[in-house]
Amino acid sequence: MQAYLRGQFPFLGLPSPVRRAALAGLGKARLDAAGALQAARLLWQLPEREYRYTAVDLLARHARSLTLHHVPELLSLAQREPWWETVDGLAGVVGEVLLAGRRTEPDAQALMDEALQHASLWVRRIAMIHQLGWRLQTDPTRLYGYALALGKEEDFFIRKAIGWALRDYARWNPEGVAQFVARHGAALSALTAREATRRLNPD
């Protein structure tokens, strides 16, 4: 497990099914937003990576209690010894909070407009992928605008995130994604274009 993350972080060595089974009791505890965030902060302080995965699971379980007000703290957690696995888990929580927040605050995603300009590439990655799984509730103007804004970045994780976000939306609007890539391919990396069109060109 350590080798998979390039030896950057210590691990207990617990595969996800074992870890989740050992902590199944946490699913019965109902925490408010303050309690869930406090638990996540405490888990994040422990060195082994599995504690952070548990923190992400806990936040995901209690995402309905979180509001737009809590998004900055989620982004702050994402910047503590970040790598794609913790960042992407938190991106899912952020996305759920924002999708729910749009029901009462139509411009809830403005938080991601700010995140797109953040100095941390991991926060920018969250901005790029926060709409994963939104299906036809995806805001295509932001999706395509973010892709173009980040398109010239050279970091692998950013380029991969752009392609991933576009590929996910292509499941619901394949023509729109195909047209976007055809029109703006020169502004995207080859990796991004390949990832974005993988479902469109399965061969």
Side-chain angles (χ1 to χ4, degrees), residues 129-187:
I129 65 174
H130 78 275
Q131 297 189 93
L132 288 176
W134 284 24
R135 302 187 179 191
L136 294 178
Q137 295 186 76
T138 298
D139 178 346
T141 299
R142 278 194 164 92
L143 175 67
Y144 298 143
Y146 287 10
L148 291 175
L150 299 177
K152 291 301 183 182
E153 292 204 22
E154 297 183 356
D155 185 87
F156 168 84
F157 290 104
I158 292 294
R159 291 181 169 185
K160 190 82 169 179
I162 300 169
W164 184 14
L166 292 169
R167 185 176 77 242
D168 182 73
Y169 186 50
R171 298 173 62 187
W172 315 104
N173 186 2
E175 290 183 5
V177 172
Q179 290 172 5
F180 172 78
V181 174
R183 185 176 300 125
H184 300 287

Side-chain angles (χ1 to χ4, degrees), residues 83-94:
W83 202 242
W84 63 265
E85 22 66 278
T86 53
V87 168
D88 291 0
L90 287 171
V93 179
V94 168

Side-chain angles (χ1 to χ4, degrees), residues 75 109-130 141-151 153 158 161-162:
L75 297 180
Q109 287 171 268
L111 290 166
M112 294 295 97
D113 297 345
E114 296 177 17
L116 194 73
Q117 308 298 323
H118 201 279
S120 169
L121 73 92
W122 300 109
V123 175
R124 298 197 300 277
R125 180 176 168 98
I126 288 175
M128 189 66 245
I129 65 174
H130 78 275
T141 299
R142 278 194 164 92
L143 175 67
Y144 298 143
Y146 287 10
L148 291 175
L150 299 177
E153 292 204 22
I158 292 294
I162 300 169

